[in-house]
């Protein structure tokens, strides 16, 4: 758990994405995902938009309740919504909805950003 500080943000996001992509819901009960979520939360301000989108996608796909991670990503994404491309916005909304994590302010910001780009 304490070794998460050794990885850069992109390594943490990639690890989350790959573990779930290849392990699917089978990894749901793996306690190491809790450590990964904690490490991601600690460095969320270093994640780029793709890393944030991929991370919430991974945890939602695995069915892992990582509410504090989702809340941290919602806060950071809200500050930097203009950095998200359309796919990242869509994946982020899907992940929050799938995980059952309410993020009304983030959803409103994504909707506004999407409309602005039209």
């Amino acid at each position: 758990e304490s070794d998460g500080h050794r990885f850069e943000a992109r390594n943490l996001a990639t690890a989350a994405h790959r573990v779930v992509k290849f392990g699917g819901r089978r990894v749901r009960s793996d306690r190491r995902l809790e450590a990964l979520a904690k490490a991601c939360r600690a460095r969320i301000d270093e994640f780029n938009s793709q890393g944030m989108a991929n991370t919430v996608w991974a945890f939602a796909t695995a069915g892992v309740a990582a509410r504090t991670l989702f809340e941290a990503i919602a806060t950071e994404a809200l500050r930097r919504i203009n950095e998200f491309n359309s796919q990242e916005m869509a994946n982020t909304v899907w992940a929050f909805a799938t995980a059952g994590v309410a993020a009304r302010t983030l959803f409103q910001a994504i909707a506004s950003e999407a409309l602005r780009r039209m």
Side-chain angles (χ1 to χ4, degrees):
E1 281 182 305
S2 63
D3 290 336
H5 68 279
R6 293 184 184 178
F7 297 97
E8 294 179 14
R10 73 172 182 257
N11 302 126
L12 293 169
T14 300
H17 187 263
R18 297 276 165 78
V19 164
V20 174
K21 183 175 182 181
F22 296 110
R25 284 186 153 311
R26 293 180 311 225
V27 300
R28 175 184 208 164
S29 59
D30 191 327
R31 299 203 27 96
R32 290 174 290 186
L33 283 180
E34 292 176 29
L36 184 56
K38 183 178 178 182
C40 289
R41 255 191 344 266
R43 301 190 77 150
I44 203 61
D45 62 323
E46 299 171 25
F47 277 54
N48 63 21
S49 56
Q50 182 181 14
M52 286 186 269
N54 286 349
T55 299
V56 290
W57 174 89
F59 281 90
T61 298
V64 174
R67 185 165 296 280
T68 57
L69 173 60
F70 274 74
E71 290 168 354
I73 287 176
T75 299
E76 190 64 23
L78 190 57
R79 284 186 336 98
R80 298 171 30 208
I81 198 62
N82 63 319
E83 297 173 18
F84 281 66
N85 67 32
S86 58
Q87 185 68 55
E88 293 160 353
M89 288 190 282
N91 289 353
T92 299
V93 169
W94 177 88
F96 274 81
T98 299
V101 177
R104 184 180 185 104
T105 304
L106 176 60
F107 286 6
Q108 288 172 337
I110 288 172
S112 293
E113 183 65 18
L115 288 171
R116 186 188 69 73
R117 294 179 187 186
M118 295 177 96

